[in-house]
């Protein structure tokens, strides 16, 4: 399939920025830019983004449909405050998010970077609280069956407590009562594929928080996926995919009034 690399000669000024910025060096120049070997194209669209006059289009993407840098205003002070204010939410209202909001979250998550620009992360999202609750009930039922026929490995023994809280007390320790969950997965065997899914969820979380949507990383949920393969089938996750991580999200029931005060991570500088 052609990458559809096109140059509007009336706009091209011959600056060669697309040539020098191409990560895989496949753009040549002879009066105007041209593709030397499109089979190695990463589809990253750096060439489209770096062209100062909007002369270049690729993959059917045209500069007129992009946001120009001059229209992007980011206040670093406000961004610092936003990052510091982020909280993990474990109390949610039952209100479901609109389809439009879910679609927007997916769109923005699609801008997360990935290894070799593979964009292979697969997102599975529950649309309603009923869907989330039904999946949780199925998970707990499958775990109960698992306990009867298998020896639960010691690292997973805490899941018995999670199951007990749900079965005996009706408490959802896994998704914390959130109306939605998102599960990332990715085809097995890709280089640093697991990392891609985490980066994608990080982008998801940041944008969700900007909309007033709370999130919680569910390590418990991921543990259940590791021992219960039926969960992938239930959610129609491709069989060839490995689970990345699980996140629950929705409108927070709790309000935080200030940032916390973290100490710096351990670090060191190399060199003078």
């Amino acid at each position: 399939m052609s990458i559809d690399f096109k140059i509007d000669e009336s706009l091209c000024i011959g600056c060669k920025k697309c040539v020098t910025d191409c990560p895989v060096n496949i753009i040549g120049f002879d009066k105007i830019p041209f593709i030397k070997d499109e089979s190695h194209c990463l589809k990253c669209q750096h060439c489209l983004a770096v062209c100062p006059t909007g002369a270049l289009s690729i993959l059917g993407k045209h500069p007129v449909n992009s946001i120009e840098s001059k229209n992007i205003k980011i206040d670093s002070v406000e961004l610092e405050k936003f990052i510091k204010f982020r909280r993990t939410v474990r109390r949610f209202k039952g209100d479901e998010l609109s389809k439009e909001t879910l679609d927007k979250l997916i769109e923005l998550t699609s801008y997360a970077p990935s290894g070799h620009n593979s964009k292979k992360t697969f997102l599975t999202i529950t649309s309603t609280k009923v869907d989330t609750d039904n999946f949780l009930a199925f998970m707990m039922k499958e775990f109960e069956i698992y306990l009867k026929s298998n020896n639960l490995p010691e690292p997973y023994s805490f899941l018995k407590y999670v199951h007990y809280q749900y079965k005996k007390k009706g408490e959802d320790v896994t998704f914390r009562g959130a109306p939605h969950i998102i599960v990332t997965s990715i085809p097995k065997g890709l280089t640093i594929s697991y990392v891609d899914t985490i980066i994608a969820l990080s982008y998801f979380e940041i944008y969700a928080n900007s909309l007033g949507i709370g999130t919680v990383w569910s390590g418990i949920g991921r543990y259940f996926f590791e021992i219960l393969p039926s969960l992938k089938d239930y959610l129609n996750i491709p069989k060839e995919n490995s689970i990345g991580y699980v996140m629950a999200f929705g409108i927070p029931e709790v309000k935080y009034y200030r940032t916390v005060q973290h100490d710096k991570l351990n670090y060191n500088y190399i060199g003078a």
Side-chain angles (χ1 to χ4, degrees), residues 138-156:
F138 175 78
M139 177 188 293
M140 293 302 163
K141 182 179 179 181
E142 289 293 288
F143 182 68
E144 195 169 332
I145 295 172
Y146 176 91
L147 286 177
K148 294 176 181 177
S149 57
N150 294 275
N151 293 319
L152 185 66
E154 180 58 32
Y156 301 85

Side-chain angles (χ1 to χ4, degrees), residues 18-19 26-30 32-36:
C18 59
V19 177
I26 63 168
I27 303 178
F29 189 85
D30 183 8
I32 61 171
F34 68 93
I35 296 294
K36 295 184 289 186

Side-chain angles (χ1 to χ4, degrees), residues 162-223:
V162 176
H163 177 262
Y164 172 83
Q165 292 293 102
Y166 177 84
K167 186 80 172 179
K168 302 298 183 181
K169 297 186 176 182
E171 294 184 9
D172 174 14
V173 181
T174 309
F175 304 137
R176 303 291 178 170
H180 305 281
I181 63 169
I182 176 172
V183 182
T184 57
S185 62
I186 199 162
K188 299 174 183 177
L190 294 180
T191 304
I192 63 172
S193 57
Y194 175 73
V195 176
D196 285 353
T197 69
I198 302 301
I199 296 173
L201 274 185
S202 296
Y203 268 57
F204 178 93
E205 178 181 49
I206 290 171
Y207 186 62
N209 277 235
S210 77
L211 298 177
I213 298 168
T215 56
V216 55
W217 295 77
S218 180
I220 293 174
R222 189 179 189 281
Y223 269 103

Side-chain angles (χ1 to χ4, degrees), residues 10-255:
S10 67
L11 295 176
C12 180
I13 58 175
C15 66
K16 301 182 183 179
K17 290 182 178 179
C18 59
V19 177
T20 57
D21 200 51
C22 178
V24 286
N25 192 32
I26 63 168
I27 303 178
F29 189 85
D30 183 8
K31 297 184 180 179
I32 61 171
F34 68 93
I35 296 294
K36 295 184 289 186
D37 182 3
E38 68 177 38
S39 66
H40 288 95
C41 179
L42 296 179
K43 300 179 176 59
C44 65
Q45 301 179 50
H46 273 324
C47 53
L48 180 149
V50 80
C51 178
T53 60
L56 189 156
S57 63
I58 189 171
L59 302 167
K61 314 294 184 182
H62 303 283
V64 68
N65 297 321
S66 294
I67 301 170
E68 294 191 8
S69 59
K70 64 183 180 182
N71 296 323
I72 301 173
K73 311 295 182 183
I74 298 179
D75 186 319
S76 62
V77 174
E78 292 303 310
L79 181 59
E80 177 186 348
K81 293 177 185 177
F82 177 75
I83 291 172
K84 287 182 175 179
F85 191 72
R86 187 213 67 86
R87 294 280 83 214
T88 293
V89 173
R90 294 183 177 85
R91 292 166 53 200
F92 295 91
K93 295 180 179 180
D95 308 38
E96 297 167 356
L97 302 178
S98 68
K99 180 65 163 49
E100 291 73 20
T101 299
L102 294 175
D103 285 344
K104 195 66 178 177
L105 284 164
I106 293 171
E107 177 190 346
L108 269 293
T109 303
S110 302
Y111 279 77
S114 60
H116 207 69
N117 199 44
S118 64
K119 300 294 183 184
K120 295 294 185 181
T121 295
F122 187 85
L123 309 178
T124 301
I125 298 175
T126 53
S127 301
T128 68
K129 192 172 191 314
V130 170
D131 292 322
T132 304
D133 291 344
N134 286 345
F135 175 64
L136 178 62
F138 175 78
M139 177 188 293
M140 293 302 163
K141 182 179 179 181
E142 289 293 288
F143 182 68
E144 195 169 332
I145 295 172
Y146 176 91
L147 286 177
K148 294 176 181 177
S149 57
N150 294 275
N151 293 319
L152 185 66
E154 180 58 32
Y156 301 85
S157 60
F158 73 96
L159 294 180
K160 292 180 181 179
Y161 167 79
V162 176
H163 177 262
Y164 172 83
Q165 292 293 102
Y166 177 84
K167 186 80 172 179
K168 302 298 183 181
K169 297 186 176 182
E171 294 184 9
D172 174 14
V173 181
T174 309
F175 304 137
R176 303 291 178 170
H180 305 281
I181 63 169
I182 176 172
V183 182
T184 57
S185 62
I186 199 162
K188 299 174 183 177
L190 294 180
T191 304
I192 63 172
S193 57
Y194 175 73
V195 176
D196 285 353
T197 69
I198 302 301
I199 296 173
L201 274 185
S202 296
Y203 268 57
F204 178 93
E205 178 181 49
I206 290 171
Y207 186 62
N209 277 235
S210 77
L211 298 177
I213 298 168
T215 56
V216 55
W217 295 77
S218 180
I220 293 174
R222 189 179 189 281
Y223 269 103
F224 276 119
F225 270 98
E226 289 181 5
I227 62 173
L228 301 174
S230 57
L231 300 185
K232 284 174 57 179
D233 294 334
Y234 183 96
L235 293 177
N236 292 319
I237 295 173
K239 294 184 182 298
E240 67 273 15
N241 281 18
S242 297
I243 298 299
Y245 219 86
V246 182
M247 179 177 285
F249 63 100
I251 303 301
E253 189 177 53
V254 59
K255 177 179 175 63

Side-chain angles (χ1 to χ4, degrees), residues 263-268:
D263 295 327
K264 285 184 178 180
L265 296 174
N266 294 328
Y267 67 97
N268 68 332

